[in-house]
Amino acid sequence: MSGFDLVVVSNRGPFTLASGPGGVVEVRPAAGGMAPSLRGALAEEPVRSGNGALWVAAALTEADRLHASAGAVATGQESLKLRTVDVTPEVGRAAYDVIANGTLWFLHHGLFDHARRPRFDRVWREAWEEYRQFNEAFADTIAEEASTGATVVVNDYHLALVGRFLIKRRPDLATAFFSHTPFCPPEDLAMLPDGARLELMESMSCFGACGFHVVRWRDAFVRCAAAVGLAPPATFVAPLGADPARLDEVAASEACRSRLLRLEDELDGRTLLLRSDRVELSKNLIRGFLAFDELLEASPQWRGRVVFLARVYASRESLPEYLAYRAETEHVVALVNERWGSPGYTPVILDLEDDFAATVAALRRYELLLVNPIRDGLNLVAMEGPVVNERDGVLVLSREAGAYDELAEVSVGVNPFDVTGTAAAMASGLSMSIEQRRARAAELRRRARSRTPAQWLSEVRHSAQVPGDRDLQA
Ligand code: F6P
């Protein structure tokens, strides 16, 4: 059987397609998130034989959809092709909005507002059926494209049911599922309706192996499997790293240099406290701004002398919770600015422009980087910042981020729910002696540069296995 020896699968791909003049397919790199980091890794990954690697992703644009049935397209990266999977807009919306992001994301990040959500009603059950169809369509595409005995790496909760469909179609494939998110504890999993809970855990057990960024998410998964009476598949832990080569390239670019000059102008010599995130409930933006408010209240010496720049970009705005969160975030920022601002001084700059060169410029410049998620699979920003930072900046890091497991001794740890504690952590980071900062930053940099996406991919690839027989109940 011909086909691809390595198939990487995710909902959002590393490229999107656009229809150029005369029907020519243009391939455009996606901006942020996990996929662009892996894109670099695939360029480095030596491909054993055959056609090389294929990335399978959901059709998100009109052109993606148009080309979904036409097979793989070249991405301009020699060893990587892209194949999009098309489903009806209703199925796509139900899978992405209602189940993946509206349910599983909230479940794994502990974000449900229990008095109101979740509600597993008839509409939700229809959406679960569509989520199942979405996963089946991916399994069909993978089964068509993978060579005999190929390795398949499926990423994230959007595609947790793929394993079950794939094992029936192609039992010869070595498969791994990788969760870039946390995994919920069994007490939270118990919220799902019984059938869905069992189906989710059984389907994940149909992969040859399941991988996580850190031990605690892996352990939670194993406990969840036990809670539904399943023997878990093989599991492994493989934290992803920042991509130093890509970051160095952007940091050295003219675009980044000009953004940095603009930023220096805006800062006018002030200290920079930075965050860089999606506008996302799990990232805990609001408590970060409230902590900054407390910092300025408790430490008058910082008023007028520190700017909190939030380089954040809009995300998942088809979900009402995200729209409401953005509005609340903007409101809190306005209050802080009203309280502490003065002519020529805006304490918080909320910058929603999606411009990676500007983000890298800010990462080069910060004195303090705040990464305070409520819960996070890893958090790449905590790694990317130290890779390019030029000011021996301090990292204030949530204990609930997977990255904390590796960076605890070289960051200032915070409980993300504790606003006053976060303010105190910011104050201590800002007033740290230069010697202390230098020593920590050197070690942070070393750790952040020591892992690359290519190593991650190689670990995941080697952890993938042909799944054994599974006795499926759901
Ligand atoms: O963190 C989980 C994740 O799926 C990442 O792998 C990805 O970069 C991010 O969420 C982006 O989410 P979305 O595709 O909804 O913008």
Side-chain angles (χ1 to χ4, degrees):
M1 187 176 193
S2 65
F4 294 89
D5 293 336
L6 174 63
V7 182
V8 176
V9 191
S10 62
N11 174 64
R12 189 179 294 281
F15 302 96
T16 50
L17 303 179
S19 295
V24 179
V25 188
E26 285 175 8
V27 180
R28 300 196 178 146
M34 159 278 288
S37 305
L38 290 196
R39 188 169 70 210
L42 276 157
E44 288 173 42
E45 174 79 0
V47 173
R48 285 169 301 173
S49 61
N51 276 335
L54 175 72
W55 198 305
V56 175
L60 299 175
T61 63
E62 232 357 88
D64 281 349
R65 235 165 246 124
L66 213 64
H67 296 285
S69 57
V73 295
T75 59
Q77 190 173 301
E78 221 175 280
S79 57
L80 178 62
K81 294 201 166 67
L82 174 71
R83 167 90 194 259
T84 53
V85 179
D86 193 16
V87 291
T88 64
E90 295 72 40
V91 167
R93 261 198 304 277
Y96 184 78
D97 287 344
V98 183
I99 304 299
N101 292 324
T103 304
L104 299 178
W105 180 270
F106 277 65
L107 185 72
H108 290 316
H109 289 84
L111 292 174
F112 282 126
D113 170 8
H114 287 191
R116 301 183 182 80
R117 296 268 186 276
R119 291 180 197 153
F120 299 118
D121 53 11
R122 191 177 46 75
V123 173
W124 186 88
R125 281 174 164 77
E126 283 165 15
W128 183 264
E129 169 54 33
E130 288 166 310
Y131 175 67
R132 198 183 279 141
Q133 288 170 29
F134 181 80
N135 278 254
E136 190 165 15
F138 269 78
D140 283 336
T141 305
I142 300 164
E144 249 173 56
E145 298 280 7
S147 64
T148 304
T151 301
V152 177
V153 178
V154 177
N155 293 281
D156 269 334
Y157 56 99
H158 315 86
L159 301 168
L161 305 187
V162 164
R164 194 158 190 261
F165 296 111
L166 200 54
I167 201 173
K168 290 188 186 142
R169 289 159 176 74
R170 294 290 306 276
D172 60 298
L173 299 174
T175 59
F177 178 82
F178 197 91
S179 263
H180 293 271
T181 63
F183 205 85
C184 66
E187 309 80 79
D188 287 0
L189 186 78
M191 277 189 279
L192 285 181
D194 291 353
R197 182 169 46 136
L198 186 59
E199 187 174 352
L200 178 74
M201 295 309 297
E202 277 197 349
S203 301
M204 288 184 69
S205 305
C206 287
F207 287 100
C210 285
F212 302 86
H213 283 306
V214 292
V215 171
R216 46 185 154 148
W217 313 141
R218 191 265 305 272
D219 289 353
F221 169 73
V222 170
R223 288 190 295 121
C224 283
V228 297
L230 280 177
T235 57
F236 63 98
V237 170
L240 183 60
D243 188 346
R246 171 169 165 259
L247 289 164
D248 288 343
E249 194 183 319
V250 178
S253 69
E254 184 46 41
C256 187
R257 204 183 68 86
S258 71
R259 300 322 188 265
L260 187 55
L261 286 177
R262 196 174 67 195
L263 178 59
E264 290 293 6
D265 242 23
E266 274 169 19
L267 291 175
D268 200 13
R270 294 186 176 95
T271 296
L272 176 61
L273 194 164
L274 176 71
R275 76 172 307 138
S276 163
D277 283 303
R278 291 185 292 117
V279 180
E280 155 66 58
L281 288 77
S282 69
K283 302 296 181 190
N284 206 16
L285 274 70
I286 293 174
R287 286 192 192 85
F289 295 128
L290 293 175
F292 185 61
D293 180 64
E294 282 206 15
L295 167 83
L296 296 181
E297 165 103 66
S299 313
Q301 74 273 23
W302 287 113
R303 294 178 201 159
R305 286 188 46 220
V306 60
V307 170
F308 187 168
L309 169 64
R311 290 237 0 110
V312 292
Y313 61 97
S315 170
R316 303 179 189 165
E317 294 211 317
S318 46
L319 266 74
E321 290 90 342
Y322 281 70
L323 282 177
Y325 191 71
R326 176 172 167 172
E328 200 183 336
T329 301
E330 287 171 343
H331 178 65
V332 171
V333 167
L335 289 180
V336 177
N337 281 339
E338 201 177 289
R339 190 162 181 214
W340 303 111
S342 57
Y345 173 53
T346 306
V348 182
I349 302 174
L350 188 64
D351 185 350
L352 286 146
E353 197 193 349
D354 187 2
D355 175 349
F356 193 58
T359 298
V360 175
L363 290 173
R364 288 172 60 186
R365 172 63 176 77
Y366 70 79
E367 271 91 4
L368 190 140
L369 178 65
L370 176 66
V371 179
N372 65 326
I374 287 171
R375 199 184 281 171
D376 208 332
L378 183 77
N379 197 292
L380 268 184
V381 175
M383 303 278 176
E384 289 172 344
V387 164
V388 290
N389 183 252
E390 294 164 4
R391 296 208 165 214
D392 295 325
V394 175
L395 173 65
V396 172
L397 180 59
S398 165
R399 301 196 295 242
E400 300 303 321
Y404 187 73
D405 296 16
E406 201 165 341
L407 303 179
E409 311 91 61
V410 282
S411 58
V412 181
V414 285
N415 165 0
F417 301 99
D418 185 352
V419 171
T420 306
T422 304
M426 287 171 169
S428 92
L430 287 173
S431 45
M432 217 175 254
S433 74
I434 187 68
E435 292 76 27
Q436 264 179 310
R437 274 174 53 175
R438 212 170 272 152
R440 273 172 187 252
E443 182 56 18
L444 252 177
R445 207 164 23 247
R446 193 192 63 72
R447 293 191 194 186
R449 282 188 172 266
S450 69
R451 282 179 184 285
T452 64
Q455 280 164 1
W456 177 87
L457 183 62
S458 157
E459 282 171 43
V460 176
R461 204 174 166 172
H462 291 108
S463 303
Q465 300 182 23
V466 176
D469 286 340
R470 289 276 150 188
D471 182 18
L472 304 177
Q473 298 166 36

